[in-house]
């Protein structure tokens, strides 16, 4: 039985109650690696690094002839790199969602708003030199307007000035069709970004989308801002259909939406939530039912199998789909399922036979994206029939959905589905898992009234000298690491991977765990949240009996969905657990047959802004430790509390009451300024 004991301590004006947990069977720490020094230089080495290196920007340009990367790329300790994480914003930035190629359909009110916004960027400078990538023609209408105001516009010459810092200009525009995704990202001059696929690589927001529609009125969202030029309220801005580079789902902290434009959206099914709503009857719809012998549907988007059933009702372009039935399992065991979809899907199998719940989710692929495959394992304790529920959607263009199942129990490689390891889930399957009979299919299309929304047309980011200072999207350093060092990774494919590997790795020395109960690996992980692709990952791998044994992937944190959900999340846990720049502990069970345990970290990333890191690897045995505070330090006026095994809570008065405690963190490290009065801390499971 665990209990807590409080010890009062005054540190820098903060009194701390240290919650000490007691347990009858304490966990045994078998090994710890904190990466606070270079373990490769020890004799013998504490770990080996395969594919390590550091390329700062001058070296990237001189040795790799690469001018795309605006920050360091590396696989190394943090103390060997100039910075890890995303940098601070160097000057003012603006997202303009209207392309501005043709101003004939724009009103004078809108053009005046653009005049005042650009005047804010230039801080009033007249006759400015404005450089446009790829060229002035990409924004010709807007360029003509700026020329009429006395500014000089020129094409960006990337051949003459491959290093963006050499470009001479007072204002730089990253326009539609830009020829370098991060061109001008780090210049110390104001920048306008108009190209939605590059919002993330320019660090002004997550990837957006392109849409052509008849815009309604423009509304000033921040009328007091100097960039508004005194305008307030709403006004007619366009007289014709326009193409917009819409902002993505995420903007930087502190970003200012200066103005919005009204957009009318017809009824549609755009995500899995919409599919759930039409099935539940809470969203207006029409539907058509049918049956299917093989779960393979195609609407102008092909997958891996040739069946390509049409949707019931002949629905195309925008639809939701629900497939329900039973699968027959002739041999118990763990089988791997592959769900290929365009745009997204959720597969549930009632393996515990107690009705569908979140624990029955095999694959949750939010999308949207082109046809891609996501994998998940299901363990069937016995032979028999099991209920299956598949939900999918297509938000526009071509769509597809298909489900495949492994012919044998795991492990099964996630390779091409026609490799011989897989077959489509259907009634005529030859493996141990197949459809018991034709499944019921319902296809849905949305009906009802159109919806009016306000979408940003101008978004402003303050520069470093503004009040308050601006921030880049997911900008700032990593926090919460143990000690002084950790291992970071960025742009790992920008120099050759080690022979035979599509990743870089750190491998710890072998640890003898023979006969040890409940062996676990705990790793502190962190990553930026800019735009990880599905091919980017952080894997925690265990060799249970030396490096010649087959590796077991304990965790696979990978990009969830290209361009939509820009973070890394654990595929083996249905993408519920995701990484942020705050280091967080993740614990994984090691297979019980482990004897000579080797832990290896494998990482693959593709861009200078896509940064991942790991720290403080611990190998333990036995029962988990009770919640407890493990340390309190005061450094330069900042109090740091470290703990394990629960959630840190605080309150101002230690009055004996069980209420009044506030959660302040669950990551293992909490910091706050000292000198703010008494504060008591405890850890609760």
């Amino acid at each position: 039985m665990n209990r807590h004991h409080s010890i009062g301590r005054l540190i820098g004006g903060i009194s701390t109650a240290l919650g000490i947990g007691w347990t009858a069977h304490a966990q045994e720490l078998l090994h710890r690696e904190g990466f606070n020094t270079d373990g490769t230089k020890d004799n013998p080495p504490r770990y080996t690094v395969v594919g390590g290196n550091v390329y700062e920007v001058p070296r990237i340009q001189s040795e790799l002839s690469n001018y795309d990367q605006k920050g360091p790329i590396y696989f190394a300790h943090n103390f060997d790199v100039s910075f890890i994480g995303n940098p601070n914003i160097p000057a003012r930035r603006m997202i303009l969602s209207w392309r501005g190629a043709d101003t004939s359909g724009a009103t004078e009110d809108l053009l005046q708003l653009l005049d005042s916004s650009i005047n804010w960027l230039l801080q009033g400078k007249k006759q400015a030199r404005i450089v446009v990538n790829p060229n002035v023609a990409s924004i010709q209408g807007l360029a003509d307007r700026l020329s009429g105001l006395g500014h000089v516009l020129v094409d960006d010459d990337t051949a003459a000035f491959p290093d963006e810092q050499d470009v001479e200009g007072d204002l730089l525009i990253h326009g539609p069709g830009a020829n370098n995704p991060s061109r001008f990202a780090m210049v110390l001059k104001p920048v306008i970004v108009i190209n939605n696929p590059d919002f993330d690589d320019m660090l002004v927001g997550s990837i957006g989308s392109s849409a052509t529609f008849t815009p309604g009125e423009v509304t000033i969202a921040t009328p007091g801002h100097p960039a508004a030029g005194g305008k307030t309220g709403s006004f007619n801005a366009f007289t014709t259909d326009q193409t917009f580079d819409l902002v993505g789902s995420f903007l930087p902290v502190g970003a200012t939406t200066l103005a919005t434009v009204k957009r009318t959206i017809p009824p549609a099914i755009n995500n899995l939530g919409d599919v759930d709503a039409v099935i539940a009857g809470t969203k207006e719809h029409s539907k058509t039912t049918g049956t299917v012998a093989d779960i393979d549907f195609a609407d102008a988007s092909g997958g891996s199998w040739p069946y390509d059933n049409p949707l019931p009702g002949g629905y195309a372009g925008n639809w939701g789909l629900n497939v329900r039935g039973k699968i027959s399992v002739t041999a118990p065991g763990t089988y791997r399922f592959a769900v290929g979809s365009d745009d997204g899907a959720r597969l549930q199998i009632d393996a515990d036979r107690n009705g569908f719940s979140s624990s029955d989710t095999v694959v949750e692929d939010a999308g949207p994206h082109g046809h891609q495959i996501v994998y998940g394992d299901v363990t069937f304790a016995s032979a028999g029939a099991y209920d299956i529920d598949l939900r999918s959607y297509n938000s526009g263009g071509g769509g597809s959905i298909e489900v495949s199942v492994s012919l044998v129990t795991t492990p099964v490689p996630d390779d091409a589905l026609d490799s011989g390891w897989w077959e489509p889930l259907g009634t005529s399957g030859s493996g141990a898992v197949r459809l018991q009979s034709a499944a019921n299919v319902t296809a849905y299309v949305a009906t009802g009234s159109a919806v009016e929304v306000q979408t940003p047309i101008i978004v402003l980011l303050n520069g470093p000298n503004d009040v308050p200072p601006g921030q880049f999207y997911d900008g700032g350093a990593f926090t919460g690491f143990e000690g002084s060092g950790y291992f970071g990774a960025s742009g790992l494919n920008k120099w050759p991977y080690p022979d035979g590997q599509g990743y870089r790795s750190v491998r710890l020395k072998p640890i003898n765990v023979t006969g040890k109960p409940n062996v676990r690996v705990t790793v502190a992980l962190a990553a930026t949240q800019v735009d990880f692709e599905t091919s980017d990952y952080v894997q925690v791998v265990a060799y249970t009996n030396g490096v010649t044994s087959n590796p077991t992937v304990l965790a696979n944190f990978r990009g969830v969905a290209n361009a939509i959900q820009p973070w890394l999340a654990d595929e083996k846990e249905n993408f519920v657990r995701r990484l942020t720049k705050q280091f967080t502990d993740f614990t994984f069970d090691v297979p019980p047959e482990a004897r000579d345990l080797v832990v290896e970290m494998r990482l693959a990333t593709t861009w200078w802004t896509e940064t991942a890191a790991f720290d403080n690897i611990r190998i333990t045995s036995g029962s988990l430790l009770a919640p407890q505070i493990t340390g309190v330090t005061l450094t330069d006026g900042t109090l740091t509390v470290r703990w394990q095994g629960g959630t840190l809570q605080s309150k101002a008065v230690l009055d004996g009451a069980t209420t009044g405690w506030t959660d302040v963190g669950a990551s293992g490290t909490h910091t706050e300024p000292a000198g703010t009065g008494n504060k008591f801390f405890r850890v609760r499971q």
Side-chain angles (χ1 to χ4, degrees), residues 97-423:
S97 70
W98 178 55
R99 291 186 175 177
D102 180 4
T103 56
S104 63
T107 67
E108 182 63 20
D109 277 332
L110 176 68
L111 296 176
Q112 289 175 1
L113 178 62
L114 291 175
D115 294 344
S116 59
S117 298
I118 292 171
N119 186 61
W120 175 80
L121 285 172
L122 288 167
Q123 299 187 65
K125 182 177 179 60
K126 306 300 182 183
Q127 297 180 330
R129 179 180 174 87
I130 300 175
V131 183
V132 185
N133 183 286
N135 50 49
V136 172
S138 67
I139 58 162
Q140 192 63 61
L142 179 58
D144 292 341
R145 174 76 177 193
L146 294 173
S147 295
L149 295 175
H151 302 303
V152 177
L153 283 90
V154 297
D155 294 344
D156 181 27
D157 191 343
T158 55
F161 303 103
D163 187 345
E164 64 182 34
Q165 301 298 342
D166 296 331
V167 176
E168 295 182 1
D170 302 302
L171 172 67
L172 308 173
I173 297 180
H174 185 98
N179 53 31
N180 178 319
S182 290
R183 184 69 168 176
F184 305 147
M186 289 303 297
V187 294
L188 302 174
K189 303 289 180 63
V191 176
I192 300 175
V193 185
I194 305 176
N195 200 36
N196 78 81
D198 299 340
F199 289 163
D200 61 326
D201 296 319
M202 294 296 293
L203 290 172
V204 295
S206 60
I207 290 177
S209 59
S210 177
T212 299
F213 56 92
T214 302
E217 289 185 325
V218 163
T219 298
I220 303 299
T222 314
H225 197 286
K231 288 188 177 298
T232 61
S234 302
F235 55 85
N236 292 323
F238 300 99
T239 59
T240 61
D241 287 359
Q242 300 289 325
T243 299
F244 292 85
D245 282 73
L246 302 177
V247 300
S249 301
F250 307 98
L251 290 170
V253 174
T256 299
T257 297
L258 181 69
T260 62
V261 60
K262 183 183 295 184
R263 180 186 180 194
T264 301
I265 301 176
I269 295 176
N270 291 322
N271 49 55
L272 288 173
D274 287 343
V275 179
D276 294 338
V278 293
I279 293 173
T282 57
K283 181 179 177 67
E284 288 188 60
H285 64 274
S286 295
K287 65 182 180 181
T288 304
T289 60
T291 59
V292 64
D294 297 280
I295 303 180
D296 178 11
F297 296 87
D299 166 21
S301 176
S304 301
W305 304 111
Y307 299 99
D308 293 344
N309 296 303
L311 273 74
Y315 299 153
N318 184 270
W319 44 261
L321 190 73
N322 185 209
V323 180
R324 292 183 178 180
K326 290 184 179 293
I327 56 175
S328 173
V329 178
T330 58
T334 300
Y335 295 86
R336 195 148 177 79
F337 288 79
V339 178
S341 68
D342 176 357
D343 285 302
R346 180 194 304 122
L347 173 64
Q348 290 188 308
I349 297 176
D350 186 16
D352 52 16
R353 292 172 169 160
N354 65 350
F356 288 112
S357 66
S358 59
S359 64
D360 296 311
T361 301
V362 181
V363 165
E364 176 93 18
D365 182 7
H369 46 64
H371 188 88
Q372 73 175 31
I373 301 171
V374 179
Y375 301 86
D377 294 339
V378 179
T379 299
F380 300 103
S382 62
Y386 296 84
D387 290 329
I388 180 173
D389 186 296
L390 173 70
R391 303 184 182 195
S392 183
Y393 74 96
N394 179 37
S395 59
S400 58
I401 176 66
E402 59 185 18
V403 179
S404 308
V405 62
S406 63
L407 289 165
V408 298
T409 56
T410 58
V412 176
D414 293 348
D415 55 7
L417 296 184
D418 60 358
S419 61
W421 292 95
W422 302 88
E423 66 179 5

Side-chain angles (χ1 to χ4, degrees), residues 464-521:
N465 299 319
D466 290 318
V467 180
Q471 296 183 45
F472 264 149
Y473 173 46
D474 203 39
F478 285 12
T479 60
F481 51 92
E482 177 272 336
S484 60
Y486 59 88
F487 216 92
S490 178
L492 298 187
N493 70 337
K494 294 301 179 282
W495 74 98
Y497 277 119
D499 290 344
Q501 291 186 184
Y503 56 86
R504 305 182 189 278
S505 59
V506 171
R507 180 181 291 174
L508 273 57
K509 67 182 182 181
I511 303 298
N512 184 359
V513 297
T514 303
K516 297 291 185 179
N518 301 321
V519 177
R520 297 180 176 89
V521 173

Side-chain angles (χ1 to χ4, degrees), residues 86 200 203 205-207 250 473-475 478 526-532 564-568 578-582 609-611:
N86 285 321
D200 61 326
L203 290 172
S206 60
I207 290 177
F250 307 98
Y473 173 46
D474 203 39
F478 285 12
T528 54
Q529 299 188 74
V530 176
D531 177 36
F532 284 103
I564 303 300
Q565 293 172 278
W567 49 78
L568 294 176
R578 73 187 196 189
L579 305 185
T580 69
K581 295 197 305 295
Q582 170 75 47
T609 57
E610 298 168 6
T611 302

